[in-house]
Short mmCIF file of all heavy atoms in Angstrom, two decimals:
data_model
loop_
_atom_site.label_atom_id
_atom_site.label_comp_id
_atom_site.label_asym_id
_atom_site.label_seq_id
_atom_site.Cartn_x
_atom_site.Cartn_y
_atom_site.Cartn_z
N PHE A 2 39.81 -47.23 25.04
CA PHE A 2 40.47 -45.95 24.86
C PHE A 2 41.97 -46.18 24.89
O PHE A 2 42.47 -46.97 25.70
CB PHE A 2 40.03 -44.98 25.95
CG PHE A 2 38.56 -44.69 25.87
CD1 PHE A 2 37.63 -45.55 26.42
CD2 PHE A 2 38.11 -43.58 25.17
CE1 PHE A 2 36.27 -45.31 26.31
CE2 PHE A 2 36.76 -43.33 25.06
CZ PHE A 2 35.83 -44.19 25.62
N ARG A 4 46.05 -44.63 24.71
CA ARG A 4 47.02 -43.55 24.78
C ARG A 4 48.26 -44.02 24.02
O ARG A 4 48.79 -45.09 24.30
CB ARG A 4 47.43 -43.23 26.22
CG ARG A 4 48.46 -42.09 26.24
CD ARG A 4 49.14 -41.84 27.56
NE ARG A 4 48.23 -41.65 28.67
CZ ARG A 4 48.04 -42.55 29.63
NH1 ARG A 4 48.64 -43.70 29.61
NH2 ARG A 4 47.21 -42.29 30.63
N TYR A 22 60.86 -50.09 30.71
CA TYR A 22 59.42 -50.22 30.51
C TYR A 22 58.93 -51.58 31.01
O TYR A 22 57.94 -51.67 31.72
CB TYR A 22 59.10 -50.05 29.01
CG TYR A 22 57.63 -49.91 28.70
CD1 TYR A 22 57.01 -48.68 28.78
CD2 TYR A 22 56.88 -51.00 28.32
CE1 TYR A 22 55.66 -48.53 28.48
CE2 TYR A 22 55.53 -50.87 28.02
CZ TYR A 22 54.93 -49.63 28.10
OH TYR A 22 53.60 -49.49 27.80
N ALA A 25 59.91 -51.84 35.16
CA ALA A 25 59.42 -50.85 36.14
C ALA A 25 58.06 -50.25 35.79
O ALA A 25 57.28 -49.96 36.68
CB ALA A 25 60.45 -49.73 36.30
N VAL A 26 57.78 -50.06 34.51
CA VAL A 26 56.52 -49.40 34.12
C VAL A 26 55.39 -50.42 33.99
O VAL A 26 54.31 -50.23 34.54
CB VAL A 26 56.69 -48.62 32.80
CG1 VAL A 26 55.37 -48.02 32.35
CG2 VAL A 26 57.76 -47.52 32.97
N LEU A 27 55.63 -51.52 33.30
CA LEU A 27 54.58 -52.50 33.05
C LEU A 27 53.94 -53.05 34.33
O LEU A 27 52.71 -53.11 34.41
CB LEU A 27 55.11 -53.64 32.18
CG LEU A 27 54.10 -54.69 31.75
CD1 LEU A 27 52.91 -54.07 31.03
CD2 LEU A 27 54.77 -55.74 30.87
N PRO A 28 54.72 -53.43 35.35
CA PRO A 28 54.06 -53.93 36.57
C PRO A 28 53.12 -52.89 37.21
O PRO A 28 52.06 -53.26 37.73
CB PRO A 28 55.23 -54.25 37.50
CG PRO A 28 56.39 -54.48 36.59
CD PRO A 28 56.17 -53.55 35.43
N LEU A 29 53.49 -51.62 37.13
CA LEU A 29 52.63 -50.57 37.70
C LEU A 29 51.41 -50.30 36.82
O LEU A 29 50.33 -50.01 37.32
CB LEU A 29 53.43 -49.29 37.91
CG LEU A 29 54.55 -49.41 38.96
CD1 LEU A 29 55.36 -48.13 39.00
CD2 LEU A 29 53.97 -49.75 40.32
N LEU A 30 51.60 -50.41 35.50
CA LEU A 30 50.45 -50.26 34.59
C LEU A 30 49.38 -51.28 34.91
O LEU A 30 48.19 -50.95 34.95
CB LEU A 30 50.90 -50.47 33.14
CG LEU A 30 51.26 -49.26 32.31
CD1 LEU A 30 51.83 -49.70 30.97
CD2 LEU A 30 50.09 -48.34 32.13
N LYS A 31 49.80 -52.51 35.16
CA LYS A 31 48.84 -53.59 35.43
C LYS A 31 48.03 -53.33 36.69
O LYS A 31 46.96 -53.91 36.86
CB LYS A 31 49.58 -54.91 35.52
CG LYS A 31 50.14 -55.37 34.19
CD LYS A 31 50.90 -56.67 34.33
CE LYS A 31 51.42 -57.15 32.99
NZ LYS A 31 52.16 -58.41 33.10
N GLN A 32 48.51 -52.46 37.57
CA GLN A 32 47.80 -52.15 38.80
C GLN A 32 46.82 -50.99 38.65
O GLN A 32 46.04 -50.71 39.56
CB GLN A 32 48.80 -51.81 39.91
CG GLN A 32 49.70 -52.96 40.29
CD GLN A 32 50.77 -52.54 41.29
OE1 GLN A 32 50.71 -51.47 41.88
NE2 GLN A 32 51.75 -53.39 41.47
N GLN A 33 46.86 -50.30 37.50
CA GLN A 33 46.00 -49.13 37.31
C GLN A 33 44.57 -49.55 37.00
O GLN A 33 44.33 -50.49 36.21
CB GLN A 33 46.54 -48.25 36.18
CG GLN A 33 47.90 -47.65 36.45
CD GLN A 33 47.88 -46.74 37.65
OE1 GLN A 33 47.13 -45.78 37.72
NE2 GLN A 33 48.72 -47.06 38.63
N GLN A 34 43.61 -48.85 37.59
CA GLN A 34 42.19 -49.09 37.36
C GLN A 34 41.88 -48.97 35.87
O GLN A 34 42.24 -47.98 35.24
CB GLN A 34 41.36 -48.06 38.14
CG GLN A 34 39.88 -48.08 37.85
CD GLN A 34 39.20 -49.33 38.38
OE1 GLN A 34 39.58 -49.84 39.42
NE2 GLN A 34 38.23 -49.82 37.66
N GLY A 35 41.26 -49.99 35.30
CA GLY A 35 40.81 -49.94 33.92
C GLY A 35 41.86 -50.25 32.88
O GLY A 35 41.57 -50.26 31.68
N PHE A 36 43.10 -50.53 33.31
CA PHE A 36 44.15 -50.88 32.34
C PHE A 36 43.80 -52.20 31.69
O PHE A 36 43.41 -53.15 32.34
CB PHE A 36 45.51 -50.98 33.03
CG PHE A 36 46.58 -51.52 32.13
CD1 PHE A 36 47.12 -50.73 31.14
CD2 PHE A 36 47.03 -52.82 32.27
CE1 PHE A 36 48.11 -51.23 30.29
CE2 PHE A 36 48.00 -53.33 31.44
CZ PHE A 36 48.55 -52.54 30.45
N ASN A 37 43.95 -52.26 30.36
CA ASN A 37 43.60 -53.46 29.61
C ASN A 37 44.83 -54.15 29.04
O ASN A 37 45.04 -55.33 29.25
CB ASN A 37 42.61 -53.11 28.50
CG ASN A 37 42.18 -54.31 27.70
OD1 ASN A 37 42.89 -54.73 26.81
ND2 ASN A 37 41.02 -54.85 28.03
N SER A 38 45.66 -53.42 28.29
CA SER A 38 46.83 -54.03 27.65
C SER A 38 47.80 -52.94 27.20
O SER A 38 47.47 -51.75 27.22
CB SER A 38 46.42 -54.89 26.46
OG SER A 38 45.83 -54.09 25.46
N THR A 39 48.97 -53.38 26.76
CA THR A 39 49.97 -52.45 26.25
C THR A 39 50.80 -53.11 25.17
O THR A 39 50.94 -54.34 25.14
CB THR A 39 50.88 -51.92 27.38
OG1 THR A 39 51.73 -50.89 26.83
CG2 THR A 39 51.75 -53.01 27.96
N THR A 54 48.91 -47.89 25.25
CA THR A 54 48.20 -48.48 26.37
C THR A 54 46.71 -48.42 26.07
O THR A 54 46.21 -47.43 25.54
CB THR A 54 48.50 -47.76 27.70
OG1 THR A 54 48.21 -46.37 27.57
CG2 THR A 54 49.95 -47.94 28.10
N VAL A 55 46.00 -49.49 26.41
CA VAL A 55 44.57 -49.61 26.16
C VAL A 55 43.84 -49.62 27.49
O VAL A 55 44.23 -50.36 28.41
CB VAL A 55 44.25 -50.89 25.35
CG1 VAL A 55 42.76 -50.98 25.05
CG2 VAL A 55 45.07 -50.93 24.06
N TRP A 56 42.79 -48.81 27.57
CA TRP A 56 42.03 -48.62 28.82
C TRP A 56 40.57 -48.95 28.59
O TRP A 56 40.03 -48.74 27.50
CB TRP A 56 42.19 -47.16 29.27
CG TRP A 56 43.62 -46.80 29.47
CD1 TRP A 56 44.50 -46.37 28.50
CD2 TRP A 56 44.37 -46.88 30.66
NE1 TRP A 56 45.73 -46.19 29.04
CE2 TRP A 56 45.69 -46.50 30.38
CE3 TRP A 56 44.05 -47.24 31.97
CZ2 TRP A 56 46.69 -46.45 31.34
CZ3 TRP A 56 45.05 -47.20 32.93
CH2 TRP A 56 46.35 -46.81 32.61
N GLU A 57 39.91 -49.43 29.63
CA GLU A 57 38.49 -49.79 29.56
C GLU A 57 37.60 -48.57 29.32
O GLU A 57 36.66 -48.63 28.54
CB GLU A 57 38.05 -50.50 30.84
CG GLU A 57 38.73 -51.83 31.06
CD GLU A 57 38.35 -52.89 30.04
OE1 GLU A 57 37.23 -52.83 29.50
OE2 GLU A 57 39.18 -53.77 29.78
N THR A 58 37.87 -47.46 30.02
CA THR A 58 37.05 -46.26 29.87
C THR A 58 37.94 -45.03 29.72
O THR A 58 39.12 -45.05 30.09
CB THR A 58 36.14 -46.03 31.10
OG1 THR A 58 36.95 -45.68 32.23
CG2 THR A 58 35.30 -47.26 31.41
N GLU A 59 37.35 -43.98 29.18
CA GLU A 59 38.07 -42.71 29.07
C GLU A 59 38.41 -42.18 30.46
O GLU A 59 39.49 -41.62 30.68
CB GLU A 59 37.20 -41.70 28.31
CG GLU A 59 37.81 -40.32 28.18
CD GLU A 59 39.02 -40.24 27.26
OE1 GLU A 59 39.44 -41.28 26.70
OE2 GLU A 59 39.56 -39.14 27.09
N ALA A 60 37.52 -42.38 31.42
CA ALA A 60 37.78 -41.92 32.79
C ALA A 60 38.99 -42.63 33.39
O ALA A 60 39.79 -42.00 34.09
CB ALA A 60 36.54 -42.14 33.66
N ASP A 61 39.15 -43.92 33.10
CA ASP A 61 40.32 -44.66 33.60
C ASP A 61 41.61 -44.10 33.00
O ASP A 61 42.60 -43.91 33.70
CB ASP A 61 40.21 -46.15 33.26
CG ASP A 61 39.09 -46.85 33.99
OD1 ASP A 61 38.73 -46.42 35.12
OD2 ASP A 61 38.56 -47.85 33.45
N ARG A 62 41.59 -43.85 31.70
CA ARG A 62 42.78 -43.30 31.04
C ARG A 62 43.10 -41.92 31.59
O ARG A 62 44.24 -41.62 31.91
CB ARG A 62 42.58 -43.23 29.52
CG ARG A 62 43.88 -42.84 28.80
CD ARG A 62 43.63 -42.26 27.44
NE ARG A 62 42.74 -41.12 27.44
CZ ARG A 62 43.08 -39.87 27.82
NH1 ARG A 62 44.28 -39.60 28.25
NH2 ARG A 62 42.20 -38.90 27.76
N GLN A 63 42.08 -41.09 31.75
CA GLN A 63 42.29 -39.74 32.28
C GLN A 63 42.78 -39.78 33.72
O GLN A 63 43.61 -38.96 34.11
CB GLN A 63 41.01 -38.93 32.17
CG GLN A 63 40.68 -38.54 30.76
CD GLN A 63 39.36 -37.78 30.66
OE1 GLN A 63 38.53 -37.81 31.57
NE2 GLN A 63 39.15 -37.13 29.52
N ALA A 64 42.28 -40.73 34.50
CA ALA A 64 42.72 -40.84 35.89
C ALA A 64 44.21 -41.15 35.97
O ALA A 64 44.93 -40.59 36.80
CB ALA A 64 41.91 -41.92 36.63
N ALA A 65 44.69 -42.01 35.09
CA ALA A 65 46.12 -42.33 35.07
C ALA A 65 46.95 -41.10 34.69
O ALA A 65 48.10 -40.98 35.09
CB ALA A 65 46.39 -43.48 34.11
N ASP A 66 46.35 -40.20 33.92
CA ASP A 66 47.03 -38.94 33.57
C ASP A 66 47.01 -37.98 34.76
O ASP A 66 48.03 -37.42 35.14
CB ASP A 66 46.33 -38.26 32.40
CG ASP A 66 46.49 -39.00 31.09
OD1 ASP A 66 47.27 -39.96 31.02
OD2 ASP A 66 45.81 -38.61 30.12
N SER A 67 45.83 -37.81 35.35
CA SER A 67 45.66 -36.76 36.36
C SER A 67 46.18 -37.14 37.74
O SER A 67 46.48 -36.26 38.55
CB SER A 67 44.19 -36.34 36.44
OG SER A 67 43.39 -37.42 36.86
N ASN A 68 46.29 -38.44 38.04
CA ASN A 68 46.77 -38.83 39.36
C ASN A 68 48.30 -38.85 39.46
O ASN A 68 48.85 -39.25 40.48
CB ASN A 68 46.19 -40.18 39.79
CG ASN A 68 46.71 -41.36 38.99
OD1 ASN A 68 47.68 -41.26 38.22
ND2 ASN A 68 46.08 -42.51 39.16
N GLY A 69 48.96 -38.44 38.41
CA GLY A 69 50.42 -38.36 38.42
C GLY A 69 51.11 -39.61 37.90
O GLY A 69 52.33 -39.63 37.74
N PHE A 70 50.35 -40.66 37.61
CA PHE A 70 50.95 -41.91 37.15
C PHE A 70 51.74 -41.72 35.87
O PHE A 70 52.89 -42.14 35.76
CB PHE A 70 49.89 -42.99 36.96
CG PHE A 70 50.44 -44.26 36.39
CD1 PHE A 70 51.14 -45.14 37.19
CD2 PHE A 70 50.29 -44.57 35.05
CE1 PHE A 70 51.69 -46.31 36.67
CE2 PHE A 70 50.82 -45.73 34.51
CZ PHE A 70 51.52 -46.60 35.33
N LEU A 71 51.13 -41.08 34.85
CA LEU A 71 51.80 -40.88 33.57
C LEU A 71 53.08 -40.08 33.74
O LEU A 71 54.15 -40.46 33.25
CB LEU A 71 50.87 -40.21 32.56
CG LEU A 71 51.47 -39.90 31.19
CD1 LEU A 71 51.92 -41.17 30.49
CD2 LEU A 71 50.46 -39.15 30.33
N LEU A 72 53.02 -38.98 34.47
CA LEU A 72 54.20 -38.14 34.68
C LEU A 72 55.30 -38.92 35.41
O LEU A 72 56.47 -38.82 35.06
CB LEU A 72 53.83 -36.89 35.47
CG LEU A 72 54.97 -35.92 35.76
CD1 LEU A 72 55.63 -35.45 34.47
CD2 LEU A 72 54.47 -34.75 36.58
N GLU A 73 54.91 -39.71 36.38
CA GLU A 73 55.89 -40.51 37.14
C GLU A 73 56.63 -41.48 36.21
O GLU A 73 57.84 -41.65 36.33
CB GLU A 73 55.14 -41.28 38.22
CG GLU A 73 56.02 -41.96 39.23
CD GLU A 73 55.17 -42.62 40.31
OE1 GLU A 73 54.34 -41.93 40.94
OE2 GLU A 73 55.35 -43.84 40.50
N GLN A 74 55.90 -42.10 35.29
CA GLN A 74 56.53 -43.05 34.36
C GLN A 74 57.43 -42.33 33.36
O GLN A 74 58.50 -42.82 33.01
CB GLN A 74 55.46 -43.89 33.65
CG GLN A 74 54.50 -44.62 34.56
CD GLN A 74 55.13 -45.18 35.81
OE1 GLN A 74 56.06 -45.97 35.77
NE2 GLN A 74 54.61 -44.76 36.97
N LYS A 77 60.83 -41.58 34.73
CA LYS A 77 61.72 -42.74 34.79
C LYS A 77 62.54 -42.90 33.52
O LYS A 77 63.70 -43.29 33.57
CB LYS A 77 60.92 -44.03 35.03
CG LYS A 77 60.33 -44.14 36.40
CD LYS A 77 59.52 -45.42 36.51
CE LYS A 77 58.83 -45.51 37.85
NZ LYS A 77 57.96 -46.71 37.94
#
Side-chain angles (χ1 to χ4, degrees):
F2 297 82
R4 179 191 307 108
Y22 191 85
V26 176
L27 184 56
L29 295 175
L30 265 173
K31 291 179 178 180
Q32 296 174 13
Q33 296 298 302
Q34 172 70 35
F36 172 75
N37 181 279
S38 64
T39 187
T54 55
V55 181
W56 302 85
E57 295 293 332
T58 69
E59 177 70 358
D61 293 331
R62 188 202 56 77
Q63 288 177 343
D66 291 351
S67 63
N68 69 11
F70 176 77
L71 178 61
L72 180 58
E73 190 176 305
Q74 305 323 302
K77 289 178 184 176

